[in-house]
């Protein structure tokens, strides 16, 4: 697979960019820990993909545990750290809703549509979704993307798997494979 700057990378956040908190949520910057290799991976990914966006389900907002403003503060810190390490995220989309059938909650495609509205050049058949759940894999597959599974929290997920095109231990391994 040849990736050039006409391609878009969709990244999940929890369990991909940062350590997922078991049975809980990242509710403040002090609770946010980048996953191994992420800061080193970002500039390598930026060198390949034209656009890199994050799509993240943040049900903690709908549950009243975190405010929109609080999420923005966490993301500002995250983007600053990535920038200090020479990387760039073009946009972050989040779904605050609690209900599994919310149109913006993955695996529903709402956040991908938001991204395409903001960046009309996004072509889903030239996009890759990286995530750590089957919801992420369905989100990508339904839109015609390639999917990359990171087994950070669900190592028992069967592979080979019709929903998963590639499996990588972490984002840094993925970034090296596509160079
Ligand atoms: Mg996740």
């Amino acid at each position: 697979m040849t990736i050039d700057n006409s391609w878009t990378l969709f990244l999940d956040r929890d369990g991909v960019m940062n350590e997922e908190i078991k049975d809980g949520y990242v509710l403040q910057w002090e609770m946010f820990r980048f996953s191994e290799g992420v800061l080193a991976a970002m500039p390598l990914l930026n060198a390949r993909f034209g656009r890199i966006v994050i799509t993240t389900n943040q049900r903690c907002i709908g549950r009243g545990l975190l405010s929109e403003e609080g999420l923005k503060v966490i993301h500002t810190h995250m983007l600053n750290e990535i920038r200090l390490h020479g990387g760039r995220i073009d946009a972050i989309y989040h779904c605050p809703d609690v209900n599994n059938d919310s149109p913006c909650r993955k695996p529903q495609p709402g956040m991908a549509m938001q991204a395409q509205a903001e960046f009309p050049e996004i072509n889903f058949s030239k996009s890759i979704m990286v995530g750590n759940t089957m919801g992420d894999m369905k989100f990508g597959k339904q839109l015609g993307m390639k999917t990359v599974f990171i087994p950070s929290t669900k190592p028992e997920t069967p592979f080979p798997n019709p929903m998963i095109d590639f499996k990588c231990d972490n984002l840094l391994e993925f970034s090296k494979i596509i160079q």
Side-chain angles (χ1 to χ4, degrees):
M1 192 164 48
T2 308
I3 309 293
D4 61 29
N5 65 8
S6 64
W7 283 66
T8 301
L9 180 61
F10 284 80
L11 296 170
D12 172 45
R13 200 197 78 181
D14 299 316
V16 173
M17 298 299 291
N18 58 280
E19 302 293 331
E20 186 168 309
I21 294 179
K22 197 172 183 300
D23 303 322
Y25 305 99
V26 176
L27 298 176
Q28 51 187 337
W29 173 242
E30 289 69 25
M31 298 169 76
F32 186 100
R33 297 278 177 277
F34 279 104
S35 299
E36 192 185 340
V38 164
L39 289 170
M42 287 309 306
L44 301 173
L45 295 169
N46 288 128
R48 280 278 159 268
F49 290 89
R51 295 271 178 218
I52 300 182
V53 303
I54 291 177
T55 55
T56 178
N57 288 342
Q58 292 297 329
R59 177 182 260 172
C60 53
I61 292 178
R63 288 189 172 154
L65 301 168
L66 179 65
S67 64
E68 291 284 348
E69 188 53 37
L71 183 70
K72 194 179 280 183
V73 170
I74 293 167
H75 285 170
T76 300
H77 282 291
M78 177 182 77
L79 293 177
N80 282 343
E81 278 303 307
I82 290 170
R83 203 174 299 124
L84 283 172
H85 288 79
R88 188 195 77 247
I89 300 281
D90 294 294
I92 303 176
Y93 304 96
H94 71 275
C95 178
D97 298 342
V98 174
N99 290 345
N100 281 332
D101 56 1
S102 162
C104 77
R105 187 173 168 82
K106 291 180 287 183
Q108 279 75 250
M111 288 190 283
M113 299 308 164
Q114 279 179 263
Q116 202 180 44
E118 189 168 354
F119 305 107
E121 72 274 19
I122 289 179
N123 176 349
F124 295 133
S125 66
K126 291 171 91 175
S127 295
I128 298 181
M129 174 69 204
V130 180
N132 68 320
T133 66
M134 288 313 286
D136 295 318
M137 300 298 97
K138 283 182 195 152
F139 170 83
K141 272 286 157 211
Q142 286 168 3
L143 290 157
M145 299 181 192
K146 297 270 184 283
T147 56
V148 176
F149 184 74
I150 291 186
S152 56
T153 51
K154 297 194 169 60
E156 72 282 6
T157 302
F159 185 81
N161 188 310
M163 302 301 287
I164 301 174
D165 294 310
F166 304 98
K167 184 176 170 179
C168 292
D169 283 341
N170 54 47
L171 206 55
L172 186 58
E173 187 191 326
F174 171 65
S175 72
K176 288 177 174 168
I177 284 171
I178 56 150
Q179 292 303 307

